[in-house]
Amino acid sequence: MTDEIRSRMVAVLPRLRRFAYALTGSTEHGDDLVQEACLRALSRVERWQPGTRLDSWMYRIAQNIWLDRMRANKVRGEVVDVEAVEELPGLDGREITESQLTLEEVDAALRRLPAEQRAVIALVCIEGVSYKEAAEISGVPIGTIMSRLARARQALHAILDEPATMQKARVAARTGF
């Protein structure tokens, strides 16, 4: 492997990490996904076509690993770490808490989307890739990307506009408060 490929892979890591977080909804699982995607890319670097986009190739690897995990979780069920607790740092606790709750609502809404819609939201809305690039990464026509994105945006809007009482009930069920 050349130094050029190695440095290009390192340059992609921050974007790949954001993409992985958007897919998994967890920093820890996202980092695991990035690590696995990098290992797979490094072990199969000869499959990368020079002259093509390395970042798209790595996004595709990460997405395929994630989709494989999602399929496997359907068979054996999702594992949840009940001891994982995050603290809220900062100076203005109320503002940080409100921001965190909003982020959690959006994250929960994203997790309610089908896997294909969540992936296209992550690519286009979070990573800022073009529809064409998203189509190449996902291996589907550009029209499919546009359709999935439109349906995902509508679904997110509907989920986030649910009556406040339903949202409060979900938060209470999640937090015990």
Side-chain angles (χ1 to χ4, degrees):
M1 177 169 51
T2 67
D3 288 335
E4 177 191 353
I5 294 173
R6 195 173 287 142
S7 64
R8 288 176 63 190
M9 284 180 126
V10 169
V12 170
L13 288 179
R15 292 175 46 218
L16 187 62
R17 188 168 186 248
R18 284 191 308 267
F19 177 65
Y21 174 78
L23 292 177
T24 63
S26 158
T27 303
E28 181 180 321
H29 292 140
D31 287 344
D32 291 344
L33 178 59
V34 168
Q35 182 176 4
E36 192 171 340
C38 288
L39 287 172
R40 189 169 294 177
L42 290 170
S43 70
R44 299 175 183 168
V45 72
E46 71 281 352
R47 293 185 185 180
W48 176 66
Q49 303 282 327
T52 61
R53 293 187 54 142
L54 183 67
D55 58 346
S56 294
W57 182 63
M58 293 193 62
Y59 281 136
R60 181 66 183 250
I61 290 171
Q63 181 179 7
N64 287 341
I65 293 169
W66 177 69
L67 288 172
D68 289 345
R69 285 182 185 172
M70 295 295 291
R71 289 182 197 114
N73 284 344
K74 284 185 179 178
V75 173
R76 67 175 176 259
E78 186 176 346
V79 177
V80 178
D81 183 7
V82 295
E83 295 180 14
V85 177
E86 295 183 26
E87 295 182 20
L88 299 174
L91 301 175
D92 184 355
R94 183 184 60 182
E95 189 175 306
I96 291 172
T97 301
E98 288 174 3
S99 296
Q100 184 68 28
L101 288 173
T102 301
L103 183 60
E104 287 175 7
E105 288 176 21
V106 172
D107 190 42
L110 276 171
R111 281 184 270 131
R112 290 175 58 186
L113 294 178
E116 295 83 13
Q117 289 180 7
R118 192 177 337 163
V120 78
I121 285 281
L123 285 170
V124 175
C125 298
I126 297 172
E127 286 304 310
V129 303
S130 69
Y131 290 179
K132 181 180 177 185
E133 288 177 283
E136 291 170 2
I137 292 166
S138 300
V140 298
I142 195 167
T144 303
I145 291 296
M146 293 168 63
S147 175
R148 285 181 185 169
L149 186 58
R151 285 194 312 271
R153 286 176 172 160
Q154 288 173 344
L156 280 174
H157 183 69
I159 292 167
L160 293 171
D161 275 353
E162 287 179 349
T165 55
M166 291 180 71
Q167 289 180 2
K168 287 179 184 176
R170 276 200 314 277
V171 169
R174 214 174 44 237
T175 62
F177 294 108

